[in-house]
Amino acid sequence: MSSLPSDDMSGFMSTLKASKRKIAVAGAGLSAASGIPTFRGAGGLWRKYNATKLATPEAFAANPSQVWQFYHYRREK
């Protein structure tokens, strides 16, 4: 299998359809490129919060409403 990028979409789709297990890995910036507002970027609703600290059982215990709002906003977008 080649490690070079390819523009063979037909081959990609064929391989994807034949795959029994699939995983999608998305990184920072994907949402902005897709037109979905970022939650930490400039003007982002959640910019003043540390997402890695907010997404913890401890944060939920301390402020369940805030954690629910954080995840609800992301799900809705």
Side-chain angles (χ1 to χ4, degrees), residues 1-22:
M1 178 175 273
S2 172
S3 63
L4 297 176
S6 171
D7 60 1
D8 179 8
M9 186 57 72
S10 175
F12 170 75
M13 292 302 295
S14 176
T15 301
L16 185 63
K17 286 178 184 178
S19 299
K20 291 182 180 181
R21 294 185 178 111
K22 298 163 182 78

Side-chain angles (χ1 to χ4, degrees), residues 43-65:
L45 178 63
W46 296 96
R47 186 174 186 167
K48 62 185 176 180
Y49 300 100
N50 181 334
T52 59
K53 290 185 180 175
L54 192 56
T56 65
E58 294 79 17
F60 184 79
N63 193 339
S65 177

